[in-house]
Amino acid sequence: MNYILIPILIILCIFVVVSLIRGVVAFLKTTRIDLESGEGETVPEMQLMQNKAMFARIKYQALAIVVVAIILAFSR
């Protein structure tokens, strides 16, 4: 069972890192647009991209925690 769950956990960890990086990049783009325009208004598309990336990160983290809990349950 661990032979299946550990690769799934690794894949979920990669998804967490990728979605975190995508969210941070979207945040940096939004901040740059705000600084260059000087108006303090952000692009709604960038804000939506930030929200989607951070929600995906939370989702993948929750799935990774579930997989870890299953691994711990079966190891006992």
Side-chain angles (χ1 to χ4, degrees), residues 20-65:
L20 177 66
I21 291 171
R22 289 181 66 195
V24 169
V25 167
F27 176 74
L28 291 174
K29 285 182 182 178
T30 304
T31 305
R32 187 186 58 168
I33 290 171
D34 282 344
L35 291 174
E36 288 175 355
S37 68
E39 298 174 3
E41 294 181 10
T42 58
V43 179
E45 297 145 359
M46 286 294 160
Q47 289 177 339
L48 187 60
M49 186 175 166
Q50 283 177 345
N51 289 340
K52 285 182 180 179
M54 290 302 128
F55 183 74
R57 180 185 58 85
I58 292 168
K59 178 177 58 177
Y60 295 134
Q61 280 179 332
L63 289 173
I65 290 170

